[in-house]
Amino acid sequence: MSSAIEALKALAEGFGTTFKHLGRKPITEQYPEYKRPLPERTRARIVLTCDPGGDERCVACFLCSAACPVSCISMEAAERKKDGRRYAGWFRINFGRCIFCGLCEEACPTSAIQLTPDFEICKRDVLSMVYEKEDLQVNHGGKDREYNFYRYAGVVTLVRGKGEHVKETEPVNIRSNMP
Amino acid sequence: MTLYAIIFYLLAALIIISTGIAITRRNMVHVVIYLVFSFFGTAMLFYLLGAPLLALLQIIIYAGAVMVLFLFIIMMLRVEAPEISMFPFSQWVPAAALCAASVVLGLLLLIPESQLGKPLETAIATPSDFGFYLFKRHWLTIELVSILLLVALVGAFHLGKSKLSAKSEDPS
Amino acid sequence: MASWIIGFVLLLLKMAVVLGVLLLLAAYLVWAERKLLARFQVRYGPNRAGKFGLLQPIADGIKMITKEDLMPDGADRFIFLLAPAVVAFTALLMFAVVPFGEEITLFGQNVPMVISDLNVGLLFIIALSSLGVYGVALGGWASNSKYSLLGGIRGAAQMISYELSLGLSLIPIVMIAGSLSLVDIVKAQQNVWFIFVQPVSFVIFLISAMAESKRIPFDIPEAENELGAGYHMEYSGMRFGLFFIGEYVHMQVLGALTAVFFLGGWQGPFLPAPVWLLIKIVMVALVMIWIRGTLPRLRYDQLMAIGWKVLVPAALINIVITGAVILII
């Protein structure tokens, strides 16, 4: 008998709980009207950033392309005539294939390729998901605004020669065995 | 030919045709469905003759319970149609003889009736009248039938039980 | 002759009105169910199509009609096409004997506010609900899919079991009202509703009715996490729609039957009779949605145990007690 009363009590409690929920304000976020601010490091649409000077960061090293598990990144390397700096002649990401894993970002030595929180890139035509370099480039440094790869890695620039940049040691003499 | 007569013959045709299809089908589930149609026709015939209670009992018990159980068992056991196409001739002869005998008997019953030309009177009874008739005048029959059903129930229970306990004793 | 034609036209009119109200209400019951379930779960529910998502049923209907009508390989064509029709048909037909008002006089004719006042109306309903089993069992079998078959077998077993307690729970009502006609049963509740006379019967009826309509917590024939969608898994488009409509019409039928057998049918003060019946139907439907939002699904053995070991004996004892009380009084 007492177990029956207990069962009834449990039932009443359950029904009461659901009934109480009727009056609660739903916690659903109404998506297109309200866009929840996503964390900065959310992995979505890929961009190509530029260094503080406004120059593009990508040196067309193909590391991102190699790291990509779905092979959605392709590019062609080119060399700038005036200072010998490498850059991507064309750079293409097929977002129809991209899984937003972020491995390209991790592989990138120059912090050029970065993922942004913007995930709203649905298209009706799958071919319009293929982004060219012009679509990918942005005019800021992304997550790492102050970083300038060539200030550390050394390229013969108009300002300084090899080994004269910030925190840079002398270049190794490749013709000698000495350290 | 009145409207009722037309409906009667349509229903009769429905019953005979669906029963005929039912006994010639290979697929057991189709057999069940055509039999249900046949029972349905029978129920409507009862209704036409002024016995709605009987009609609905026909549907509830035969179409709704007995055939559902048949269907249930067919679905569970996956009864396959046997490969042999024809019964042996020795089985056909008695069946045909019996069938012919019943047809002749039926005709013998019908012919004097039609010569008299007296239509059968419909016996419309309310459910309560029917109940009083059944349970007051035929109470002994009802009790006997219920005892029979009880025996069948206990028997079925016993069969199921003994199998169950035998299984639990022998785990292999 | 003229009066015969008027009577026929009135009958057609009644059928059209009842059918229209039933289907419209079925569509909006789906909406109400989704909305309420969402609120029970602190969500919004459909709110995009129209204000408060009120156009959602129309959108769903358009989607179902325009969807491809698939037929699985190896399905039994004839039965596959027949099964959803059986489900919707039996559910709709049950409303033929539900009275929705007192007799009125129209064009000099007495018009009973019921499509057909059968003197065995209650048996008619039980007969139809027992035929509804075919839709489930055959739909599951004809789909040629193991999940569908399992769902169909479960559905058949469940519906056969609960039909029994459903029928038995109504016998005390018939004993008190002294008639199998739903019109007379409603009239017998002029003074006191049967829910107060027969509370045990009411509980048994409600539980078995919910099991009969295969709703949560009795939805093991279509248990999503075990069988996909159960007996209607292979159906798509409007055929699935028929199963769906059948389910929601069945919900209304149960609401109407609960109202007729226990809540005084169309009787009520101030408002016109059909409105009262409608209010009672909707109330029962809302309670069923509430139950769905609260209780978890039963296990198969629990379901069978409740049906055979609790409800049937309780209904039998109830019949005996009712009979004894009637004899004494």
Side-chain angles (χ1 to χ4, degrees), chain A residues 90-166:
Chain A
W90 51 263
F91 196 102
R92 190 173 293 147
I93 297 180
N94 183 355
F95 281 113
R97 297 177 68 97
C98 181
I99 56 169
F100 306 106
C101 60
L103 289 182
C104 49
E105 186 177 6
E106 282 183 41
C108 186
T110 67
S111 243
I113 193 164
Q114 289 185 10
L115 282 81
T116 61
D118 171 31
F119 59 89
E120 293 162 310
I121 43 172
C122 316
K123 299 273 164 60
R124 285 199 178 272
D125 180 17
V126 75
L127 279 181
S128 60
M129 298 286 279
V130 178
Y131 277 42
E132 294 294 337
K133 191 175 175 183
E134 300 80 58
D135 310 318
L136 295 165
Q137 271 182 321
V138 291
N139 59 356
H140 57 80
K143 296 168 204 172
D144 202 356
R145 292 195 182 257
E146 294 311 313
Y147 182 69
N148 186 343
F149 174 69
Y150 281 109
R151 239 190 270 159
Y152 299 94
V155 68
V156 183
T157 64
L158 298 174
V159 197
R160 295 182 183 88
K162 264 194 176 172
E164 293 169 3
H165 295 85
V166 188

Side-chain angles (χ1 to χ4, degrees), chain C residues 28 49 53-66:
Chain C
Y28 278 92
L54 275 172
L55 298 178
Q56 189 68 40
I58 297 166
D60 286 345
I62 292 171
K63 185 193 85 175
M64 272 176 190
I65 290 168
T66 50

Side-chain angles (χ1 to χ4, degrees), chain C residues 3-319:
Chain C
S3 73
W4 185 81
I5 288 174
I6 290 175
F8 193 67
V9 168
L10 278 174
L11 185 68
L12 284 181
L13 211 66
K14 273 192 290 191
M15 284 202 272
V17 169
V18 168
L19 208 61
V21 170
L22 263 183
L23 291 179
L24 194 74
L25 204 62
Y28 278 92
L29 263 183
V30 178
W31 172 84
E33 169 145 40
R34 290 178 62 183
K35 206 79 185 158
L36 271 176
L37 273 184
R39 295 310 294 259
F40 284 133
Q41 296 159 0
V42 210
R43 296 185 285 115
Y44 279 108
N47 62 354
R48 294 284 152 182
K51 196 117 182 112
F52 305 115
L54 275 172
L55 298 178
Q56 189 68 40
I58 297 166
D60 286 345
I62 292 171
K63 185 193 85 175
M64 272 176 190
I65 290 168
T66 50
K67 266 201 169 179
E68 189 184 352
D69 185 17
L70 286 171
M71 171 106 50
D73 231 17
D76 195 303
R77 251 192 112 72
F78 169 61
I79 301 177
F80 190 79
L81 301 185
L82 187 74
V86 170
V87 169
F89 175 76
T90 50
L92 284 170
L93 211 58
M94 273 191 221
F95 244 89
V97 291
V98 173
F100 44 87
E102 220 160 350
E103 209 173 56
I104 55 167
T105 308
L106 214 65
F107 305 119
Q109 263 200 342
N110 282 341
V111 182
M113 291 295 267
V114 53
I115 290 172
S116 167
D117 179 15
L118 274 179
N119 61 359
V120 284
L122 193 141
L123 290 179
F124 180 76
I125 279 169
I126 293 177
L128 279 176
S129 82
S130 70
L131 285 180
V133 183
Y134 284 108
V136 175
L138 291 177
W141 178 81
S143 301
N144 195 31
S145 145
K146 54 179 174 287
Y147 296 120
S148 293
L149 182 67
L150 276 173
I153 288 176
R154 282 183 180 192
Q158 172 179 341
M159 287 169 88
I160 295 170
S161 313
Y162 277 84
E163 225 160 69
L164 210 63
S165 50
L166 188 84
L168 287 177
S169 75
L170 290 178
I171 288 178
I173 303 297
V174 177
M175 283 157 77
I176 296 173
S179 170
L180 286 167
S181 156
L182 299 201
V183 177
D184 293 344
I185 289 174
V186 170
K187 278 183 188 144
Q189 298 176 68
Q190 207 114 48
N191 299 321
V192 57
W193 291 359
F194 282 158
I195 184 175
F196 302 115
V197 186
Q198 286 287 344
V200 180
S201 203
F202 173 72
V203 172
I204 296 171
F205 175 80
L206 204 64
I207 293 174
S208 357
M210 278 177 59
E212 192 72 9
S213 71
K214 306 175 289 297
R215 286 181 59 77
I216 289 176
F218 301 102
D219 69 333
I220 54 156
E222 41 191 296
E224 286 85 3
N225 39 11
E226 298 161 27
L227 302 178
Y231 59 91
H232 55 55
M233 191 165 78
E234 303 292 341
Y235 284 88
S236 67
M238 210 49 219
R239 283 188 211 298
F240 169 73
L242 275 179
F243 273 119
F244 208 62
I245 288 172
E247 194 175 322
Y248 280 86
V249 169
H250 208 260
M251 203 163 138
Q252 290 172 66
V253 168
L254 295 177
L257 294 185
T258 317
V260 165
F261 293 137
F262 296 100
L263 303 177
W266 42 263
Q267 290 170 356
F270 312 124
L271 291 171
V275 177
W276 266 113
L277 185 68
L278 216 59
I279 289 174
K280 284 169 185 171
I281 291 174
V282 171
M283 285 311 291
V284 174
L286 292 184
V287 168
M288 283 167 80
I289 293 169
W290 187 15
I291 291 172
R292 177 177 173 180
T294 305
L295 296 180
R297 180 181 305 130
L298 270 80
R299 234 170 35 218
Y300 189 72
D301 58 326
Q302 289 173 332
L303 181 97
M304 286 296 154
I306 289 179
W308 289 102
K309 294 181 183 164
V310 180
L311 294 184
V312 171
L316 284 173
I317 292 168
N318 194 26
I319 291 170

